[in-house]
Amino acid sequence: MIRAIAALMLSPLAGGCVAAAAIPAVAGSMIVKSQMDKKRERRVEVQETAPAQSVDTPEGRVTVIKGMTALPPPSGAPFDGAPAAAAGKAVPETMQYLYGSGESAGLSMQAYRTLADYLTNNIAYRRKETLRQVVMSDGSSLNVPLFEPCGAKPLAIVLDIDETAVLNLGYESDAARRGGGYDDARWQRWEASGVDKVTAVPGAKMALDAARKAGIAVIFNSNRGNANAAATEAALNHAGLGPAKHGETLWLKGDDGGGSGKDDRRWAIASGYCVVAMVGDQLGDFSDLFNDPRMTPAARRAFAATSPVAELWGNGWFLLPNPVYGTGLKGGFDDVFPADTRWSDPAEGVK
Amino acid sequence: MIRAIAALMLSPLAGGCVAAAAIPAVAGSMIVKSQMDKKRERRVEVQETAPAQSVDTPEGRVTVIKGMTALPPPSGAPFDGAPAAAAGKAVPETMQYLYGSGESAGLSMQAYRTLADYLTNNIAYRRKETLRQVVMSDGSSLNVPLFEPCGAKPLAIVLDIDETAVLNLGYESDAARRGGGYDDARWQRWEASGVDKVTAVPGAKMALDAARKAGIAVIFNSNRGNANAAATEAALNHAGLGPAKHGETLWLKGDDGGGSGKDDRRWAIASGYCVVAMVGDQLGDFSDLFNDPRMTPAARRAFAATSPVAELWGNGWFLLPNPVYGTGLKGGFDDVFPADTRWSDPAEGVK
């Protein structure tokens, strides 16, 4: 086993990922771990946890590796994946942020507190006859959203489950440890067997308790499979967010004939309830229109930020953070960075 | 130039980073780009943009590479960094999320709408004598936070700047393109010369306009350097968020004798104003106590989620998302995933 330290000058984000996944490394005895003292000042601390990790130093981001034995072939031949699994304990930054940071916990608390305040201040005291659905009606566009009056229907809020109501810590810890891509069969086994390995998103229990106390039904609309309905009910109970009953307050993929679009289920729910709030971590938790494949990432972001429906954020539509997976994670350089915001370091001349 | 396609089965997050930064690749003619149809169903689309990118397929995350010419040395010798810069156009997932997604735009709109509503509904109509600072007083702890009465001081809100009020698209696009770690000298040049390459965080202008209209002062407290005060004032004006005047409504690193802690500046501001709201993307934008180096990531997250100050999220303290850099990005496997949430796939036996 080679015991060497490789200092790789990499992008601020990619650095850690490289060490974690691409460079074969067996368990080592030392890593150097990042300890940032606020964003622009950084120092280094030693801790025994994982075989490879990136750190920030005054000289930039450095990746320290122990026990490196081989590299992927430069021929471009397929990689067998085993080394990625072996190095899986360096946690991707997106998971550090979502599952490990106080920042994301605060964001979640903020979203759920805003929901609870909204239900108390904007909804509960109003006469039902003055309310409208926050589910967009069939025939809407993002530029011309349509919301039907509620009439005398009972009030409800509709929530996504994964990374909205519960954090899938068991599945994602396994994913971080093993490396490897998304595996639908494994996810199905997770739905069935991971009941007690989820936790509530910070703030969710407080807000759902407040909703139920105010007489507002709590309904889940998830792309978990309806074959695992009982386990999903149990997972919500484990997280303290139940009760949910499949066919009544729990809607799952397959309930409306299949497909991961959620509009049909939303419309079915809205036929019986006045949906006064929706909660999700993906724009598709609010309308399938956001998942139109013809829409560029920039157009999709513009719709979220400036279209008429943008008025609903924090005001009927409530978002939770999730940089770990989902529809937000796409786009090349030109999609993510508008042309008029490009900058080149003047010390190095125009690129 | 080798023209081969390497299918690397990697972790869901690390995959893209590896292609982006570790594997030298010159500009190719084709990439395969991820187009997710909601989180659990994925399909693939071809687009001409960048030399390498990861995609989700029914078989998992796959990285497609063209034009690979060499790999970092397995000897562990230092890497010269040039290939990382050459492959820099595959955007890290954290940047895709923060700068490119509708999800993060919605989160930001939600935070700023909540701030605006809070100022209108909870602050503006109240008699000043009933208000307290949301800045924790000297001598506070996270378990016993202390907030002084405001007396008759004029009202103010205090905001961080970077990734709170403005998105540093110029600096981060350059970082994504070049690869390489954080470079403080380059950041200083960015502060001085990137004035017109920032944009306002979605919702920020609306909320700041509402605050000023209500007679509430808008004060910035940033770790940008006070040597670049004029450029920072100009950047805020460019983003539509000004005016800010150094020494009055703009506080910078160095103003209080140096250091990146912000408590001293907060206390100086609170000596002249009733600070009714703070806005930031890092917990250190609210209290330096969150940056105590003795605190584990799990303890820090617990303080953010369940301590007395957790009541302030969305209610005096307002968070913006930022998975790209900062104090949230730390922690090894045991820090991020609590022991009682570990799960192993039952199809593969106990690990």
Side-chain angles (χ1 to χ4, degrees):
Chain A
M1 183 163 61
I2 297 164
R3 290 212 168 261
I5 294 182
L8 309 183
M9 303 306 291
L10 299 166
S11 88
L13 289 156
C17 307
V18 169
I23 300 174
V26 300
S29 62
M30 185 196 90
I31 67 148
V32 179
K33 181 184 163 222
S34 153
Q35 265 289 12
M36 291 188 207
D37 174 17
K38 187 57 192 158
K39 50 181 97 158
R40 302 292 172 207
E41 291 194 335
R42 294 152 188 202
R43 64 190 188 73
V44 169
E45 180 187 359
V46 175
Q47 184 174 322
E48 306 216 354
T49 333
Q53 195 154 339
S54 61
V55 297
D56 291 291
T57 75
E59 290 71 45
R61 173 67 61 109
V62 168
T63 297
V64 178
I65 298 157
K66 294 213 63 165
M68 185 162 60
T69 56
L71 282 165
S75 64
F79 197 57
D80 71 8
K89 283 194 182 179
V91 180
E93 288 183 314
T94 54
M95 291 190 192
Q96 289 179 318
Y97 186 79
L98 182 59
Y99 302 119
S101 79
E103 279 78 1
S104 79
L107 271 173
S108 299
M109 293 291 293
Q110 176 170 292
Y112 274 113
R113 185 189 174 97
T114 303
L115 169 61
D117 287 352
Y118 164 87
L119 294 177
T120 302
N121 300 333
N122 293 358
I123 299 298
Y125 78 92
R126 286 175 61 180
R127 287 183 305 116
K128 280 181 195 168
E129 292 72 14
T130 68
L131 294 171
R132 284 180 178 267
Q133 304 278 359
V134 298
V135 174
M136 289 168 60
S137 312
D138 197 5
S140 292
S141 69
L142 293 173
N143 280 321
V144 186
L146 305 171
F147 303 97
E148 292 181 4
C150 280
K153 291 174 184 171
L155 305 187
I157 62 175
V158 174
L159 299 91
D160 173 49
I161 293 177
D162 296 313
E163 275 56 49
T164 295
V166 305
L167 298 176
N168 288 291
L169 292 166
Y171 181 84
E172 299 295 349
S173 66
D174 183 64
R177 189 187 54 191
R178 85 167 58 234
Y182 174 72
D183 177 330
D184 191 64
R186 182 176 300 129
W187 176 265
Q188 297 302 325
R189 293 190 292 271
W190 160 251
E191 286 186 4
S193 70
V195 166
D196 62 345
K197 305 302 183 192
V198 299
T199 61
V201 169
K205 180 170 167 50
M206 172 277 296
L208 299 199
D209 287 351
R212 290 181 173 121
K213 188 175 173 187
I216 300 171
V218 173
I219 299 177
F220 297 94
N221 181 9
S222 167
N223 279 335
R224 288 186 173 213
N226 60 5
N228 292 322
T232 294
E233 290 175 357
L236 290 167
N237 286 334
H238 174 78
L241 304 178
K245 188 162 167 33
H246 186 217
E248 297 180 7
T249 53
L250 176 61
W251 292 71
L252 297 167
K253 191 170 168 179
D255 286 348
D256 54 358
S260 59
K262 290 184 167 181
D263 275 349
D264 286 342
R265 280 174 260 153
R266 275 187 279 266
W267 293 330
I269 295 166
S271 71
Y273 289 92
C274 174
V275 180
V276 294
M278 294 194 288
V279 190
D281 65 311
Q282 309 283 329
L283 298 188
D285 293 325
F286 304 94
S287 169
D288 291 348
L289 294 172
F290 287 112
N291 290 335
D292 184 331
R294 295 167 300 182
M295 196 154 47
T296 64
R300 186 169 176 275
R301 182 170 168 92
F303 274 117
T306 62
S307 78
V309 298
E311 295 299 313
L312 287 161
W313 300 122
N315 183 37
W317 291 4
F318 298 86
L319 260 171
L320 279 297
N322 182 7
V324 172
Y325 62 82
T327 46
L329 303 185
K330 55 183 158 186
F333 189 83
D334 292 337
D335 295 308
V336 173
F337 298 107
D340 61 357
T341 63
R342 305 288 164 75
W343 175 80
S344 291
D345 186 348
E348 305 189 24
V350 175
K351 301 276 170 180
Chain B
M1 185 162 60
I2 297 164
R3 291 211 167 261
I5 294 182
L8 309 185
M9 302 306 290
L10 298 168
S11 88
L13 290 155
C17 308
V18 169
I23 300 175
V26 301
S29 61
M30 185 196 91
I31 66 147
V32 178
K33 181 184 163 221
S34 152
Q35 263 292 10
M36 291 187 205
D37 175 17
K38 187 56 191 155
K39 50 182 96 158
R40 302 295 172 203
E41 290 195 335
R42 295 151 188 203
R43 65 190 189 70
V44 170
E45 179 186 359
V46 175
Q47 183 172 321
E48 306 216 353
T49 333
Q53 195 155 339
S54 61
V55 298
D56 290 291
T57 74
E59 290 73 42
R61 173 67 61 109
V62 169
T63 298
V64 177
I65 298 157
K66 294 213 63 165
M68 185 162 60
T69 56
L71 282 166
S75 64
F79 197 56
D80 72 7
K89 284 195 182 180
V91 181
E93 288 183 316
T94 54
M95 291 190 191
Q96 288 179 318
Y97 187 79
L98 182 59
Y99 302 119
S101 80
E103 280 78 2
S104 78
L107 272 174
S108 299
M109 293 291 293
Q110 176 171 291
Y112 274 113
R113 186 190 174 98
T114 303
L115 169 61
D117 287 352
Y118 163 87
L119 294 177
T120 303
N121 300 332
N122 293 358
I123 299 299
Y125 77 93
R126 286 176 60 180
R127 286 183 306 117
K128 280 180 196 169
E129 292 72 15
T130 69
L131 294 171
R132 283 179 179 268
Q133 304 277 0
V134 299
V135 174
M136 290 167 62
S137 311
D138 198 5
S140 292
S141 70
L142 293 173
N143 280 323
V144 186
L146 305 171
F147 303 97
E148 291 179 5
C150 282
K153 292 173 184 170
L155 305 187
I157 62 175
V158 174
L159 300 91
D160 173 49
I161 294 177
D162 296 313
E163 274 55 49
T164 294
V166 305
L167 298 176
N168 287 292
L169 292 166
Y171 181 84
E172 299 294 349
S173 66
D174 182 64
R177 188 189 56 190
R178 85 167 55 234
Y182 174 71
D183 177 329
D184 191 64
R186 181 176 300 128
W187 177 265
Q188 298 302 324
R189 293 189 292 272
W190 161 250
E191 286 186 6
S193 70
V195 167
D196 62 344
K197 305 302 184 192
V198 300
T199 61
V201 170
K205 181 171 166 49
M206 173 276 298
L208 299 199
D209 287 351
R212 291 181 173 120
K213 188 175 172 187
I216 300 172
V218 173
I219 299 176
F220 297 93
N221 181 9
S222 167
N223 280 334
R224 288 186 173 214
N226 59 4
N228 293 321
T232 294
E233 290 175 358
L236 290 168
N237 285 334
H238 174 78
L241 304 178
K245 188 162 167 35
H246 186 216
E248 298 180 8
T249 53
L250 176 61
W251 292 71
L252 297 168
K253 190 171 169 179
D255 286 348
D256 54 358
S260 59
K262 291 185 168 182
D263 276 348
D264 286 341
R265 281 174 260 154
R266 276 186 279 265
W267 293 330
I269 295 165
S271 72
Y273 288 93
C274 175
V275 180
V276 294
M278 293 194 290
V279 191
D281 65 313
Q282 309 283 329
L283 297 188
D285 293 326
F286 304 93
S287 169
D288 291 348
L289 294 172
F290 287 113
N291 290 335
D292 185 332
R294 297 167 298 181
M295 197 155 46
T296 65
R300 186 170 177 274
R301 182 170 167 93
F303 274 117
T306 62
S307 77
V309 298
E311 295 299 312
L312 287 161
W313 300 122
N315 183 37
W317 291 4
F318 298 86
L319 260 171
L320 279 297
N322 183 6
V324 172
Y325 62 82
T327 47
L329 303 186
K330 55 182 157 188
F333 189 82
D334 293 336
D335 294 309
V336 173
F337 297 107
D340 62 356
T341 62
R342 307 286 165 75
W343 175 80
S344 291
D345 186 348
E348 305 189 23
V350 176
K351 301 275 170 182

